[in-house]
Amino acid sequence: TGNESIFSESDSLYLNGEFDKFELSYLKRYFPWEQKTTGLLSGTINVFGKASSPRIELKSLIEAPSFDKITAKSISGDVIYKNDRLYFKGIKLLTMAGEYAGTGSIPAGW
């Protein structure tokens, strides 16, 4: 039935993967916004911990990112999800006008 889960809350997870130049526009239906979003995503993802509270680590580089009318050369950095929060570490945005860096976190509970 539709209510069955492949994991129980106490299951331990260890998943990892790589991606190379994945076009972000393919994910349009999952974005919570309507603005055009494109770019070529490369990097690694690691998911580990208990299924009830996993830690997800994404090390990424997006080449030619664009969001609506904003375009850049690249954006890179680490995104970590843990304890219902998204953490951004070592974020670097490279544009024609210069380089911008940032770090921070936002709530992200589901």
Side-chain angles (χ1 to χ4, degrees):
T1 65
N3 294 334
E4 293 179 19
S5 176
I6 59 172
F7 298 111
S8 71
E9 289 187 8
S10 61
D11 284 346
S12 292
L13 302 175
Y14 184 77
L15 306 166
N16 58 42
E18 295 181 10
F19 33 95
D20 185 35
K21 297 188 180 184
F22 177 81
E23 175 53 61
L24 288 176
S25 65
Y26 295 153
L27 301 175
K28 178 181 178 177
R29 72 169 61 175
Y30 304 107
F31 293 146
W33 55 79
E34 294 185 16
Q35 290 80 3
K36 181 180 174 185
T37 304
T38 64
L40 299 174
L41 175 64
S42 297
T44 61
I45 186 167
N46 295 301
V47 180
F48 54 94
K50 296 290 183 189
S52 60
S53 60
R55 179 179 172 112
I56 303 169
E57 296 180 352
L58 174 66
K59 295 183 182 295
S60 63
L61 166 68
I62 303 173
E63 298 173 72
S66 72
F67 178 76
D68 199 19
K69 293 179 173 46
I70 301 168
T71 61
K73 291 181 179 181
S74 67
I75 186 167
S76 62
D78 298 343
V79 179
I80 299 167
Y81 172 82
K82 71 176 183 176
N83 300 326
D84 294 330
R85 198 154 188 91
L86 276 177
Y87 296 89
F88 302 92
K89 296 175 67 177
I91 303 299
K92 287 186 182 178
L93 174 65
L94 182 59
T95 70
M96 295 296 284
E99 184 176 302
Y100 305 87
T103 188
S105 68
I106 58 172
W110 3 85

